[in-house]
Amino acid sequence: MSKDAYTYKSLPGSPGGPLLFVFHGTGGDENQLVSLGHDLAPQATIVSPRGDVSEYGAARFFRRTSEGVYDMDDLARATGKMADFVKAHVEAAKPSAVYGLGYSNGANILAALVFEAPELFDATVLMHPLIPFEPEVKGSLAGCHILLTAGKRDPICPPNLTARLEAYLRADGADVTVEWHEGGHEVRPNEIEAARRLFAGIAQGV
């Protein structure tokens, strides 16, 4: 396990407070979601890795062969590498709680982490994830708090696949909330407020 397996940016929070990992979308970098993470969980230390795959110069966390078609071998590689990265930071920080937030491709790698190691995160926010396969959860998601956010007219992440992911997560015991908006792949204020409520509720033990 290595804290430096990825290029990343860190923003310190309150000593002994939560640790929040944020995962950018395709073409973003380690700076994309840091300020949002701080806004949503002001007490948390933010850790923001940069994807280690380049798609025509755009950073991603794993390869794909076309839009919505994933290189499943590379997704497995990326998931294992990221799980080790997260565990190394958690071991070093010994936080009060561990949160995750990802957008688009970042939500996809975060979802893969949840499937691979359900015990890693106390709460996760998956903004516009696209999971075009049936996940194999290694363990139980009981006690996992997960927020899905989605657009009803999202051309990249069709609403039926969001609903299917919700069903998978619920079937495995997760506490799932879904926040919709009427638009597409963009993040809107109601999604941000829903994420803030989730993290605040966990911090207060709700």
Side-chain angles (χ1 to χ4, degrees), residues 18 35 56 73 104 122 138 150 174 205:
S35 60
Y56 305 109
D73 289 339
S104 194
D122 297 291
K138 296 187 178 177

Side-chain angles (χ1 to χ4, degrees), residues 156-181:
I156 296 173
C157 302
N160 64 305
L161 292 187
T162 299
R164 189 177 72 168
L165 176 59
E166 176 192 4
Y168 287 147
L169 295 170
R170 288 192 190 282
D172 212 76
D175 176 7
V176 184
T177 303
V178 184
E179 184 73 23
W180 293 94
H181 64 63

Side-chain angles (χ1 to χ4, degrees), residues 19-70:
L19 195 56
L20 170 58
F21 292 87
V22 295
F23 303 94
H24 64 77
T26 298
D29 61 20
E30 65 274 23
N31 298 298
Q32 186 181 45
L33 297 177
V34 170
S35 60
L36 175 61
H38 178 67
D39 178 52
L40 295 177
Q43 305 302 315
T45 293
I46 313 297
V47 177
S48 178
R50 182 199 305 167
D52 62 350
V53 169
S54 175
E55 183 179 86
Y56 305 109
R60 285 176 54 85
F61 290 102
F62 58 89
R63 301 186 189 283
R64 60 183 172 182
T65 57
S66 60
E67 186 74 55
V69 181
Y70 298 162

